[in-house]
Amino acid sequence: MDYTLDLGAVTRNMGPLMDGLWVTLQLTLAANVIGVIAGFALALLTTSKLALLRWPSMLFVEFFRCTPAIVQIVWFFYCVPMIFNVFWGPVFMGIIALGLNLTAFNAEAYRASIQAVPREHLDAGIALGLSPTQRILNIVLPQALRNSVPVLLTNGIGIFQQSALVAIVGVADLMYQGKTLATATYRPIETFTVVALIYLAISYPVGQFVNWLERRQSHS
Amino acid sequence: MGMTLDFSILLRFTDALAIGLWTTIKLTLLCIVLGTSLGFVIGLLRSSGNAFVRGLLGLYVELFRGTPVLIQLFWIFFCLPLILGVEFSNFVSATIALTLYMGAITSETFRASLRSVGREQMDACVALGLPRAAQIVNVILPQAVLRAVPTLLSNAVSLFKESALVSAVGMADLMFIGQNISNNTARPVEVLTVVAGIYFVIAFPLTRAVTVVEQKLLRKFSA
């Protein structure tokens, strides 16, 4: 290998990389807020007794699960402005695109937990005279949320990694800044390695935490 | 909505889309075979072997599971040729990257399924006085592989979807061709919707199949 490593090329340019990381974290956190809340609402719709509610919501979930995330993001960035004549700025567009994807995956996670809530609990709710809304909020939601936490975290860290795709449509996230820096400095090895390690430094601890959580839940 | 949709423009591009889809399928199938084989070997080595090998392979698996696939592709495309001092074709680079990714996720699948083969199976082997090699080849592996099947199928569907990323490094797969047509015709809604539809038509039945196989195996193992 006649290529001498020069980490200075990267350490001198940590500013743009950190700006990119900040954008990546914004995308991830905001998409997770959407995904955790809207995912639960969507899961309720997919478990609805009314076919009119169930079918479209299931189609929504399956569409996001069965197409590449990059296709979804490119579609969103090119087609939404054309159809609705709006463009809310790259970061916000990225948040919505990633948020919709996460909503579908989280709905799947919630659906399993909702169906695992014992029938007797709901009967007890009816016996206590709770309204359907109260039953959902006080009986289904707390249990579904608790049982879904490991999967929600796994999906959340998944979207952190998927967020790198918005670099392709020009959002200045960590991946985008890394690619720009690698091209500008002719230092792809140092740059891409450092960028990869930044992603790893965030997703690895969360992954370990999920493992620990799953072990703890399986023991209780 | 002030636009009229015209899906007929796609009729002019059916050949191009078919060629792109063929590239996607070829690449996916090749990396499924190579990646699953690699994952099997790594899964075995991580379940036994010495501590140094285990640690090194653990590092590889975590690196590929904890970073975006896009950066793995970029790394293989831009860095590997510099390190090795050789030029690769797009197809070779994409194959290396997706095989390494697939190897990492399937090795975890195999490791989990090896762990799930019960302790009592091992005890039975010992009681029967089977030699170590026979224990592994005749008792442990067949059960472990069978248990891994549903997750391996999911991994394969994931790989099919991740393969669309090679468009970002200029490989002419279905996504790349779709984006080209979309840019040239200025008809993103029709073109990209059809491209998404093609991916869906392939991936959806496969994900259904995963569920069916899972239920069949569950019945088999609980019986």
Side-chain angles (χ1 to χ4, degrees), chain B residues 131-184:
Chain B
R132 185 89 184 119
Q135 287 178 21
I136 292 172
V137 174
N138 299 324
V139 179
I140 309 297
L141 281 188
Q143 294 188 68
V145 169
L146 201 58
R147 278 165 199 257
V149 166
T151 319
L152 288 177
L153 281 174
S154 305
N155 293 344
V157 179
S158 297
L159 188 75
F160 171 67
K161 290 189 296 176
E162 297 290 354
S163 78
L165 291 176
V166 300
S167 60
V169 277
M171 197 173 150
D173 70 329
L174 175 60
M175 180 62 191
F176 184 87
I177 302 235
Q179 272 183 288
N180 263 356
I181 297 171
S182 158
N183 294 338
N184 293 335

